[in-house]
Amino acid sequence: MGALQLEWREDRVIATLNRPETRNAIDQSLVDELHALCGELEDAPKILIITGSGGVFASGADIAQLRERRAADALQGINSTIFVRIAALKMPVIAALDGYTLGGGAELAYAADFRVGTPTLKIGNPETGLGILAAAGASWRLNELVGEPLAKEILMAGRILNADEALAVRLITEIHPPETLLAGAHALADRIASQDALAVQITKEVFHLPRERHPQADNEAQAVLFESPEKFRRMTAFLERKKR
């Protein structure tokens, strides 16, 4: 059994980090399996739910491997490359977070479009305490997610947020008991799946464009959707319902 357990459904895939002996620490094997998964989802887009096994999302990068890495390894962007690829998937990504979500595990969660958690969630970036920085996305994604003052406290002072604190700053959007965490993630996925897939994909793409690309990019994207058969089908159904 690999480091990543996959459950494929018609409109989504559930990926479970499964390295219980290291509290799901992100190592090279897990990175390789995530790349393989991204390859499949780039070819056939589906909603992705990422979670962890054993009451832990991911305790961080694998410190035993990380300790041996040198400058050349850092320049390869081993973790940052896969997290960028996950963030760029066409359909939304939901991170279902239980327990420790630290270091590289937190950076994986930041790459998702949505995050839901349990009451035992502990999320943050203790990298500076280990003599490194959070270089796989936290140094810029976290500022966008929670704002500069809190991001700096997490990144430079090692602050770890609990579930209530993460919810208060909207780093997570929902809290569920551990036994219903995946059900909560699936409920969110159901809401996404009920939308038009093409409209969702284009909305995600436009949302992440630089400010200077708007509003022209919005107009061009809307032009594509205005010609979509699904737009006509859904709007016709809406108008028919109003007549009843």
Side-chain angles (χ1 to χ4, degrees):
M1 185 177 295
L4 194 66
Q5 294 180 341
L6 300 177
E7 178 188 345
W8 292 88
R9 300 189 183 181
E10 182 179 357
D11 59 3
R12 71 197 66 172
V13 58
I14 303 93
T16 303
L17 311 183
N18 186 45
R19 298 189 68 229
E21 70 282 1
T22 63
R23 291 183 173 178
N24 301 329
I26 299 171
D27 70 343
Q28 187 63 58
S29 65
L30 188 50
V31 168
D32 292 342
E33 291 183 45
L34 285 168
H35 273 298
L37 172 61
C38 284
E40 295 193 62
L41 292 176
E42 287 160 356
D43 291 338
K46 294 178 183 286
I47 299 165
L48 172 60
I49 298 174
I50 304 178
T51 192
S53 62
V56 174
F57 181 68
S59 59
D62 192 303
I63 302 301
Q65 288 188 7
L66 204 57
R67 183 184 60 182
E68 303 307 316
R69 290 179 181 171
R70 306 303 292 266
D73 299 303
L75 293 173
Q76 290 181 33
I78 295 170
N79 284 1
S80 62
T81 300
I82 184 57
F83 297 162
V84 165
R85 195 173 181 186
I86 289 169
L89 289 172
K90 291 183 178 180
M91 288 296 285
V93 179
I94 302 168
L97 312 173
D98 191 13
Y100 292 120
T101 304
L102 301 173
E107 291 182 295
L108 172 55
Y110 303 155
D113 298 287
F114 303 93
R115 286 158 295 279
V116 297
T118 69
T120 63
L121 174 66
K122 301 290 182 185
I123 186 168
N125 293 91
E127 281 90 341
T128 51
L130 294 170
I132 58 174
L133 83 154
S139 62
W140 51 278
R141 282 200 182 98
L142 196 52
N143 184 25
E144 296 175 351
L145 291 169
V146 302
E148 181 178 328
L150 181 55
K152 284 183 173 177
E153 191 176 358
I154 292 169
L155 294 170
M156 300 182 200
R159 180 173 175 184
I160 306 298
L161 303 183
N162 62 31
D164 289 334
E165 291 168 330
L167 181 64
V169 297
R170 307 305 289 171
L171 184 56
I172 61 173
T173 55
E174 301 170 7
I175 297 176
H176 299 277
E179 61 272 18
T180 61
L181 175 63
L182 268 182
H186 279 296
L188 176 55
D190 289 342
R191 297 201 299 274
I192 296 168
S194 70
Q195 313 301 307
D196 172 36
L198 180 61
V200 170
Q201 291 177 36
I202 290 180
T203 298
K204 178 176 177 177
E205 180 182 359
V206 170
F207 184 91
H208 289 289
L209 290 175
R211 175 64 181 84
E212 59 269 18
R213 294 283 305 280
H214 302 277
Q216 184 60 32
D218 306 63
N219 296 337
E220 292 172 355
Q222 192 74 296
V224 173
L225 291 170
F226 271 13
E227 298 297 328
S228 165
E230 186 66 7
K231 169 242 184 179
F232 290 100
R233 188 193 71 79
R234 285 174 176 259
M235 289 192 177
T236 299
F238 175 83
L239 294 171
E240 290 298 325
R241 287 195 300 271
K242 284 192 68 175
K243 291 178 181 178
R244 294 173 191 159

